[in-house]
Amino acid sequence: MYDYIKGILVQKHQNTPKGNFVTLECNNIGYLIETNQRSMSAFKEVGKDCKIYVSLTHREDFMGLCGFSSKEDRDLFNILQSVSGVGVKVALVLLDEFSGYELIAAVIKEDAKALSRAKGVGQKMAQKIILELKDKLINWQEKMPVDLSDVETQNVDTEDVSDAQAVLVSLGYTIDEIKPAIKSAVAKAGKNPKSEEILKQALTYLAQ
């Protein structure tokens, strides 16, 4: 329903009993948006223009907006909630503990120990997240292949490039966005980079 809201950042409500929130004013409407500390610190100063990528959560007992400083985090937030047992609070905590590419890398590498570092995420929940999300994050190439024939990849394992590309597809990026991002990432990632490093560089490029 919403992609992002752009307006004046009116107030930051940090570490309240109910969580972290910001008030964003747009067209004389103040939107109360739940967020986490990582995004909160990335938002501009109070009184400045601010663009927040949002997700509307609507359940029987709750309806509200959650917002992030980047599209990747917002999309990952939505993907995380597809895991049974992972709600708004757990998804926000995970995206506070890890950057987007760190979280994706932990899932792809099946690193349950790393995921369980997040407050409220035990070993059992971490394993469940990996089980339910790994395929969603890496098995999209056949649905939306990207022609990388003119991208210089002689020092890169093509499987690592494909894995990074698949994650970008799962996050909702288009072919036209992915191709230059992968090209830039391969150029900057150094010799024989793994998919996590390619993904990190690609997300940095796309965030510019």
Side-chain angles (χ1 to χ4, degrees):
M1 183 176 181
Y2 299 108
D3 185 16
Y4 64 83
I5 302 174
K6 186 176 182 180
I8 302 295
L9 188 62
V10 175
Q11 193 171 0
K12 293 182 177 182
H13 317 267
Q14 299 189 60
N15 299 316
T16 75
K18 292 186 177 181
N20 296 284
F21 298 84
V22 295
T23 300
L24 188 72
E25 183 178 331
C26 178
N27 294 326
N28 297 316
I29 299 174
Y31 294 91
L32 185 64
I33 303 171
E34 187 169 6
T35 186
N36 56 25
Q37 287 288 347
R38 183 183 289 272
S39 282
M40 181 86 77
S41 63
F43 293 148
K44 294 183 178 180
E45 298 175 5
V46 169
K48 302 286 188 180
D49 285 337
C50 186
K51 182 177 182 180
I52 301 180
Y53 290 90
V54 295
S55 175
L56 176 65
T57 300
H58 191 187
R59 303 192 307 263
E60 285 185 10
D61 60 341
F62 173 82
M63 185 170 74
L65 288 169
C66 292
F68 303 89
S69 58
S70 70
K71 178 180 181 294
E72 302 85 62
D73 279 4
R74 188 276 311 279
D75 292 344
L76 274 173
F77 173 77
N78 291 333
I79 291 171
L80 281 167
Q81 288 187 90
S82 70
V83 178
S84 56
V86 175
V88 169
K89 298 299 183 185
V90 172
L92 285 171
V93 166
L94 282 164
L95 288 166
D96 212 1
E97 179 71 30
F98 305 98
S99 66
Y101 73 86
E102 288 171 340
L103 181 60
I104 292 168
V107 171
I108 291 174
K109 291 190 295 185
E110 301 184 12
D111 192 348
K113 184 177 180 181
L115 291 177
S116 62
R117 292 202 314 264
K119 185 178 179 180
V121 179
Q123 189 76 10
K124 186 176 180 181
M125 176 62 76
Q127 291 172 344
K128 194 172 189 180
I129 290 169
I130 290 168
L131 179 66
E132 295 190 28
L133 288 191
K134 186 176 179 182
D135 287 347
K136 290 183 181 181
L137 292 176
I138 66 175
N139 290 335
W140 289 62
Q141 347 9 3
E142 292 181 3
K143 296 181 182 179
M144 196 183 207
V146 178
D147 179 13
L148 298 172
S149 59
D150 63 339
V151 176
E152 193 65 44
T153 61
Q154 76 269 22
N155 293 323
V156 185
D157 188 319
T158 55
E159 186 174 340
D160 286 315
V161 173
S162 293
D163 285 348
Q165 165 201 313
V167 172
L168 293 174
V169 170
S170 74
L171 290 175
Y173 289 103
T174 66
I175 293 175
D176 290 340
E177 291 172 321
I178 292 171
K179 192 169 182 177
I182 291 289
K183 188 172 183 178
S184 173
V186 168
K188 293 181 179 179
K191 190 175 182 180
N192 299 319
K194 295 300 180 184
S195 58
E196 294 87 356
E197 181 62 24
I198 297 170
L199 180 61
K200 177 182 178 180
Q201 295 291 345
L203 287 173
T204 299
Y205 174 92
L206 288 165
Q208 293 174 354

